[in-house]
Each structure stands twice: as structure tokens, then as C-alpha cells.
Amino acid sequence: MVKKIVYDWKCWLRLIYEHNWFVIKFGVSALLVSAFLFLYKSSFDYSQSSKNTEISANPIISVYFPEITHQFHQQGYVTEYTSNEEKCDLFDGDWIPNKAEPFYTNNSCSFIEGHQNCMTNGRPDTGYLYWRWKPSGCDLARFDPRRFLDLMRNKSWALIGDSISRNHVQSLLCILSTVEMPKLVYHDENYRSRRWLFPLYNFTVSVIWSPFLVQAAIFEDENGVSTSEIEAHLDKLDQNWTEPYQNLDYMIFSSGEWFVKTTIYYENNTILGCHYCPKQNLTELGIDVPYRKALRNFFNYIIASKHKGTIFFRTSTQDHYENGEWFNGGSCGRKLPAKNGEFELNVLAKILRTVELEEFEKASREASRSGVNLRLLDVNPLSLLRPDGHPGPYRFFQPFAEDKNAKVGSDCLHWCLPGPIDTWNDLVMEMVVHG
């Protein structure tokens, strides 16, 4: 089965792999409404707004395979919550208009890195800030930073993964800093792993760089330019997170995107194979084999640890490139959330998501028996519908200041701050409060 998948990839994905980039396009769910008159008015308003938005005519590659996700949710591995005595799946719903202002602005928060500071970098529209996630069957409460800090007195959080985890921790810090400004108390040599302290609450928030969750030697500069293949040991977990693990009360783990990169994989200190190493005589492993091995070892460790805190596994997210990819003119210039079917999982994204859900399902059963509180933070479906929330060309400072027709690369993977990623914190708080 693996050989067949590899054969299908080799031709049409060669250019993507040569540039070490992950391209995911997929879509889910249509807007729901509660009454006919509201549907009529909303549809009319939305259609009028859409006329002013350029929409790509890219063909849909494949469906979001709802049969897998629906079955998975029905089996109870996605946490359900009770609202008005009815169960509610937080991760199934729609984005609806919202008049509330963001908690913070590009000027008020010092934790926003330049690449995500879309408004400072010149993004002219602000409509992407005024939407909120509405789960089907219930309302999702807005994040309450003061209550969250009260709940987290003398506790510790860590977000563990890649640059999307770093994007998320910046969002969380921006919101919490409206109550108290944290102090940076630790950073590694390259500032990829950091820890902040909220003194009044004796509460710490960390971001830990571990894109594979297993040990990996990465030969990339800060711009993502590689000088050699990544070398990852699938049977050795990354000590960056295993060392502080037992002292952390809450953790959000994530992975996935880096497994599409050119990587040599090891087991028992012996080369097992490689993903996309055409110049080397190594077994092609594809993506699913190494990702499944890494996640299985990761989950086995979590289950055996009998950790008494709360551990979230966040599903991988996707980019929203249209009319090309990041290296050949792809862009993301939409101004509204997507409608059903406009973005769908490509082959790579399907593989990653299938592996994640299958491995989490197995681990969830074992975790329940061992007393480990393992939860799924399934941000994949709701993030899918927000192609309007990325920096695009405004990853760079004032890219069109001198030439409005300048050719500028786009970031359609990370998220503007403030932006849709702030909603992830609403979900986290709901799961903590009702955990």
C-alpha cells in the first residue's frame, strides 16, 4: 500500500518537495441558519459582499472525507459539551459575523512577531477580525483572560510543536497581557523555545520547539533554506519536551507539517529510509509511515507516563494558497471566510489527518484506561474555513509602499495577529472549564 502511494506522489509533487513546503487545500461545512427570513437576508448580504472578492476557480481535488471525521466524532473521541441539556461538538459549526472588537491590536501587543503583524505591515482590510466561531447546537463563550489566569494560579502551560504553535502562543500571550504583562524568564540560543511568567498568578506559559516530536537534526537557516537533509530518529522522543514534561500541568502538542520535508529517518540508530531523497539510494518511506511511527511512540510515552495534568493533541492545519504555491506566485487575497467546498484536503493533507485521527483514537482508549487526560483539539475544520486570516504579502513590512504592483511572496500558512487563531483560545478555555 505504501509503495502505491509513493508512486502516485513522485511525479506531481516533485516541485513542491524540492522547495520543502507543505501545501494543503481543503474545505468543510456550509453556513447553517435558524430561520428562513434570516437565511434569505444573510444569503443576500453575503452574495453582495462576495461580488467584491476575487475567488479562485481551482478545481476541488478531493472531499474532506467526512465519513472519517463524522465517525470519529460520533465515537466520542472529540470532546462533547452540554448546552441546554443538549450535546455540542465544539469543532463542527460555522463562522458568523461578530461586532466585538479583538482583545488586542497590532499596536497594543508586543508579543506579535513581524511576520504575523499584518496591520503594521500594511494590510488595508480589517473585516477578517469580525467573525466568531459558532458550534452547531451551542454557543462558544469568548475567552475570559482574567478568569483563565485565576484558574491557572500556580500552574504551567506549554505549547509544543512548530511555528504554528509559536503563532498560537503569541495569540495567547497577547490576550493574557491585557490583564498582566508576563516576563520572559527563559529562552534557548535561537529563541525558538521560550518561557514567560505571570508573577501575580505564579503562572508560566512556554513554547517548546519540537516540529517532529522526535529527535531531529535540522539544517535550515531562519529563512527555511536547507543545506542538508533532515535526520530524524523515529524511536527517540525529543528531550526538549520530555525533560520538562512531568512538571507541566497543561500541554498542547502538535506536529505533521514537517513530515512532508526531505528527511532521512532512523530506527535503532540505523537508516530506515527517507522521504524524497531522489539522489540517494534509500527506501522511500512516504509520509504516513514515519508520521505514524512518530505519533505511536509519542502517544505510548504519554499513556505510560500516567501524567495527572491535561494533555491536548492539536490537529494539523492547512495553508490556503490559490493560483500557485508559495514559490511560484500562489496567494491568499480573500476577504471573507470560505464557503463549503471552496477548500478541500489534497492528498498530503488527507494522509496526515487520517494518521492523526487513527492514532489518536487508539491512544484515547488506552489513555482512559491508564487515567491520562488526553484530549483532541481539532482546529482543522474551523481553520479550513478562514482563507482570509493569513498574512499573504503582508508577511513583509509595507510590501507595496514603493510599487503597488510589486511581486511579493505570500504567507498563506501562518495567521495574522489578531486574527482567526485567537479563537483557538476560546476552544481551549471551554475544554478546560468543562474538562
Side-chain angles (χ1 to χ4, degrees):
M1 181 62 181
V2 172
K3 292 182 179 179
K4 181 180 185 299
I5 294 174
V6 170
Y7 175 82
D8 291 339
W9 292 341
K10 283 186 176 179
C11 293
W12 67 277
L13 292 179
R14 180 176 299 276
L15 183 58
I16 295 173
Y17 291 136
E18 285 176 352
H19 290 267
N20 279 338
W21 191 254
F22 176 46
V23 181
I24 310 174
K25 296 178 180 174
F26 50 93
V28 67
S29 70
L31 288 172
L32 300 177
V33 291
S34 59
F36 172 79
L37 290 177
F38 183 76
L39 171 62
Y40 178 84
K41 184 179 184 301
S42 298
S43 299
F44 177 81
D45 292 343
Y46 193 91
S47 64
Q48 291 298 106
S49 300
S50 299
K51 292 179 181 178
N52 299 321
T53 305
E54 293 184 7
I55 297 178
S56 166
N58 286 356
I60 295 174
I61 297 175
S62 57
V63 296
Y64 170 65
F65 62 127
E67 68 282 357
I68 294 178
T69 304
H70 179 71
Q71 180 183 13
F72 191 78
H73 287 206
Q74 289 298 310
Q75 291 171 341
Y77 299 106
V78 174
T79 306
E80 292 182 328
Y81 299 85
T82 300
S83 177
N84 297 324
E85 300 183 354
E86 293 183 3
K87 285 188 175 181
C88 170
D89 183 351
L90 291 177
F91 311 115
D92 176 33
D94 300 293
W95 291 94
I96 64 174
N98 178 38
K99 294 181 179 180
E101 293 291 333
F103 279 105
Y104 60 96
T105 69
N106 59 307
N107 293 320
S108 68
C109 183
S110 61
F111 299 102
I112 305 175
E113 292 186 0
H115 292 162
Q116 278 79 58
N117 201 331
C118 301
M119 286 183 281
T120 293
N121 290 344
R123 179 166 176 171
D125 62 302
T126 59
Y128 65 95
L129 300 174
Y130 298 99
W131 298 86
R132 70 179 179 89
W133 179 247
K134 173 67 171 65
S136 300
C138 69
D139 281 316
L140 176 63
R142 197 181 194 200
F143 189 89
D144 185 336
R146 190 174 299 278
R147 184 184 182 195
F148 184 84
L149 286 170
D150 283 335
L151 290 171
M152 294 301 139
R153 286 185 184 275
N154 305 313
K155 302 291 185 181
S156 56
W157 273 82
L159 285 74
I160 302 161
D162 55 23
S163 59
I164 302 297
S165 292
R166 186 167 66 240
N167 202 172
H168 186 188
V169 84
Q170 292 167 29
S171 167
L172 179 61
L173 290 172
C174 283
I175 297 175
L176 295 179
S177 65
T178 62
V179 177
E180 183 188 11
M181 183 62 64
K183 298 179 179 179
L184 181 65
V185 294
Y186 166 80
H187 64 81
D188 63 6
E189 182 179 357
N190 297 316
Y191 283 78
R192 282 188 160 178
S193 294
R194 283 172 279 182
R195 183 168 64 253
W196 294 266
L197 170 68
F198 291 82
L200 294 179
Y201 298 87
N202 190 31
F203 170 55
T204 60
V205 175
S206 301
V207 60
I208 299 175
W209 175 256
S210 185
F212 288 90
L213 301 181
V214 297
Q215 291 183 23
I218 300 171
F219 307 97
E220 284 189 2
D221 63 17
E222 61 182 7
N223 296 315
V225 178
S226 300
T227 57
S228 183
E229 296 90 349
I230 299 168
E231 297 179 358
H233 293 260
L234 295 173
D235 56 343
K236 297 179 181 179
L237 296 175
D238 188 355
Q239 293 179 347
N240 284 340
W241 67 265
T242 58
E243 288 184 357
Y245 174 79
Q246 288 294 350
N247 295 320
L248 295 167
D249 297 297
Y250 294 86
M251 287 162 275
I252 302 177
F253 289 92
S254 61
S255 189
E257 282 87 351
W258 279 65
F259 282 84
V260 307
K261 291 176 176 279
T262 297
T263 306
I264 299 174
Y265 292 104
Y266 292 78
E267 274 189 336
N268 299 318
N269 294 318
T270 302
I271 294 178
L272 181 67
C274 184
H275 173 53
Y276 196 70
C277 299
K279 297 180 181 179
Q280 300 195 37
N281 186 24
L282 295 174
T283 302
E284 169 59 56
L285 293 180
I287 296 171
D288 57 337
V289 171
Y291 192 34
R292 192 177 297 278
K293 284 178 174 288
L295 283 188
R296 190 160 296 175
N297 287 333
F298 160 73
F299 282 126
N300 286 342
Y301 179 90
I302 299 299
I303 294 165
S305 72
K306 299 188 182 298
H307 195 282
K308 297 305 179 184
T310 300
I311 300 167
F312 297 93
F313 179 75
R314 176 178 63 75
T315 51
S316 56
T317 58
Q318 64 292 316
D319 63 50
H320 288 94
Y321 285 96
E322 296 186 272
N323 304 314
E325 310 304 340
W326 72 275
F327 51 83
N328 63 2
S331 62
C332 46
R334 299 199 185 202
K335 304 298 188 296
L336 294 169
K339 293 185 288 186
N340 184 41
E342 291 180 23
F343 287 94
E344 305 290 343
L345 291 180
N346 63 17
V347 172
L348 298 182
K350 268 191 169 184
I351 293 168
L352 292 176
R353 184 158 175 79
T354 299
V355 171
E356 288 172 350
L357 296 185
E358 290 178 352
E359 291 304 314
F360 182 89
E361 178 182 341
K362 298 172 186 176
S364 180
R365 290 194 294 262
E366 293 297 324
S368 296
R369 286 193 283 266
S370 64
V372 174
N373 188 10
L374 179 62
R375 316 287 291 281
L376 186 70
L377 181 60
D378 193 12
V379 301
N380 185 302
L382 60 111
S383 301
L384 172 65
L385 299 177
R386 293 308 305 272
D388 57 322
H390 301 289
Y394 300 102
R395 172 183 174 86
F396 307 99
F397 181 72
Q398 301 293 333
F400 305 112
E402 297 182 4
D403 180 2
K404 66 179 182 179
N405 297 315
K407 300 296 183 182
V408 182
S410 291
D411 181 352
C412 303
L413 174 65
H414 300 93
W415 302 95
C416 289
L417 293 173
I421 197 171
D422 294 326
T423 296
W424 296 7
N425 300 309
D426 300 343
L427 294 165
V428 167
M429 184 161 186
E430 183 73 13
M431 296 175 75
V432 169
V433 170
H434 294 91

